[in-house]
Amino acid sequence: MQRIVSASSSRDFLWHPCFTERVNRQLLCCLLLAVVAAACSGSSDEAVGITAPDGFEVAVWATGFDGPTQMVLADNGDLIIAELNGTENDATGRILRVAADDHDSRVVLQDGLNKPTGIAITGDRLWIMEQRRLVVTTLDPGDDLEVVADELAFNGRSEGTLTRTDDDRLLYDTSGSKRGPDRVDGSGTLFAIEHASAGPSEPVVIATGFKHAYAHLVDPDGQLWSIEMTDGNFDGTRASDELVSVDVGDDAGWPQCVEDNRPVVEYGGTTELCATAPGSHALFGFGAAPTSIVLAPWDDEVFVVTLWLSSQVVTVPRTPPVGGPHEPALFLEGIESPQHLLVVGDLLLVSDHDTGQIFAVSH
């Protein structure tokens, strides 16, 4: 049975300043930053056609990937990256290890995966989210996969990314599916696996009522945030994708409630019902498809978000909006399908799902 985390434990899964691995990771990031900076100044090419604000530089960090989805860092600074390695339904996805000091040096850790959209590392374990199952293995090439959760509810296409929090929880979502006005049981839900470095355990429910909470983060104040792909028509009108803050036990309301607590009458939504759902911190527009969110390495009061279908990377203030949701500001333009973001020291890495490139943004 899945269980709901009690309100009294709502901060248990959030970042903790005394987490034992934090210092080690900070030292590692500094080391990797030096390696990446050297690579960017030596062999990387200028990113042609990508515009950025004054004071920012964009360089090509690596190329040659095939439908990259999520990327994370290994303890030694290597980049671990998931890619579709074919079309969306070929089930030929794989996980690559890219050497920190040689971006052309790549080792296949896993292949034959069904649409891997998420990866995370906890201790010596590598977690992978496939189309509708969560598996775990090691960082040794070709090691066996252990199925953690199978036949997950989903939207007919895929689940989202994986997020490891500083207190060693692993966050994942099941994309939303409905029958008539009702959400399918187990779909549209944000889960956490506690003590993930120790291995699989029974997931706990963090929040429900999402169409697709594709990516998440926890800010320095311990607040959980999620981007939401709303998708579809509601009362004959399309709904905007959004950024919301999430507390344990929240119900975001989909499909009865969409974009900034708008009731969907055709599915039984009411003003009273939707008033209890978290409001939109920012709206991204119809079909923008936000796929990744980080805090900017140059300012932790600023979110950076990739909009996959809009071909944009935007920024959003972390401060509470006044008089309505924030309107995102354009940050990068010219990346075909910006997919995932990864902060490495003072650098921001951005992957392009369409061209298979990874760009490094410096300030």
Side-chain angles (χ1 to χ4, degrees):
M1 295 291 291
Q2 294 166 344
R3 62 184 176 88
I4 300 290
V5 183
S6 66
S8 62
S9 63
S10 63
R11 291 297 171 192
D12 291 347
F13 75 98
L14 304 181
W15 287 25
H16 194 288
C18 297
F19 185 62
T20 56
E21 294 183 13
R22 181 173 183 177
V23 173
N24 290 336
R25 290 206 309 275
Q26 288 176 333
L27 293 173
L28 180 59
C29 281
C30 291
L31 174 62
L32 182 57
L33 175 60
V35 172
V36 173
C40 287
S41 62
S43 60
S44 293
D45 299 323
E46 181 183 356
V48 178
I50 298 177
T51 60
D54 291 343
F56 291 88
E57 295 183 356
V58 184
V60 177
W61 190 84
T63 62
F65 301 100
D66 189 350
T69 53
Q70 187 170 6
M71 48 189 176
V72 297
L73 292 178
D75 283 348
N76 70 341
D78 288 353
L79 184 74
I80 311 299
I81 186 165
E83 61 176 15
L84 297 187
N85 189 36
T87 63
E88 186 174 337
N89 296 307
D90 284 348
T92 53
R94 61 185 185 177
I95 311 298
L96 302 178
R97 184 172 197 139
V98 181
D101 57 355
D102 181 1
H103 304 159
D104 293 324
S105 175
R106 300 167 190 184
V107 175
V108 177
L109 300 182
Q110 294 289 334
D111 59 9
L113 300 171
N114 187 5
K115 203 180 299 186
T117 57
I119 52 174
I121 297 173
T122 63
D124 60 357
R125 291 176 169 83
L126 172 65
W127 302 77
I128 305 169
M129 177 59 77
E130 295 188 78
Q131 183 186 48
R132 58 182 310 191
R133 74 172 187 172
L134 178 65
V135 299
V136 66
T137 182
T138 72
L139 288 164
D140 295 328
D143 210 349
D144 292 340
L145 299 174
E146 178 184 352
V147 177
V148 179
D150 203 1
E151 298 299 316
L152 293 169
F154 77 134
N155 62 1
R157 295 190 67 185
S158 68
E159 312 293 11
T161 58
L162 298 177
T163 302
R164 185 205 175 174
T165 66
D166 262 8
D167 66 348
D168 199 30
R169 292 197 181 190
L170 184 77
L171 304 182
Y172 69 92
D173 86 296
T174 54
S175 50
S177 178
K178 65 181 182 65
R179 294 190 182 98
D182 299 320
R183 188 169 64 247
V184 172
D185 186 41
S187 78
T189 302
L190 185 60
F191 293 95
I193 292 178
E194 299 176 305
H195 311 299
S197 292
S201 62
E202 187 72 15
V204 297
V205 174
I206 299 298
T208 61
F210 301 97
K211 169 58 178 175
H212 202 174
Y214 195 89
H216 345 89
L217 67 74
V218 180
D219 71 19
D221 296 328
Q223 180 63 53
L224 175 63
W225 299 83
S226 181
I227 48 181
E228 163 77 333
M229 295 186 193
T230 305
D231 192 23
N233 289 293
F234 302 86
D235 291 336
T237 304
R238 297 187 69 188
S240 176
D241 296 336
E242 58 184 332
L243 168 63
V244 296
S245 63
V246 181
D247 292 323
V248 172
D250 275 350
D251 185 339
W254 181 87
Q256 285 77 34
C257 311
V258 295
E259 58 173 11
D260 203 30
N261 309 94
R262 171 162 74 90
V264 182
V265 176
E266 65 177 316
Y267 296 137
T270 64
T271 301
E272 293 74 20
L273 174 66
C274 296
T276 64
S280 299
H281 185 82
L283 296 176
F284 301 117
F286 311 136
T291 52
S292 185
I293 180 170
V294 297
L295 286 171
W298 57 88
D299 187 349
D300 66 7
E301 290 298 319
V302 173
F303 295 115
V304 185
V305 179
T306 54
L307 303 182
W308 196 86
L309 281 178
S310 298
S311 300
Q312 296 178 339
V313 179
V314 298
T315 58
V316 175
R318 187 159 68 96
T319 54
V322 177
H326 283 298
E327 181 175 344
L330 179 62
F331 177 58
L332 299 178
E333 194 169 30
I335 300 175
E336 292 295 329
S337 302
Q339 175 79 32
H340 194 69
L341 302 166
L342 181 65
V343 174
V344 182
D346 291 333
L347 288 179
L348 177 66
L349 299 187
V350 187
S351 64
D352 186 342
H353 186 270
D354 187 69
T355 67
Q357 297 173 289
I358 297 176
F359 302 99
V361 182
S362 57
H363 180 48

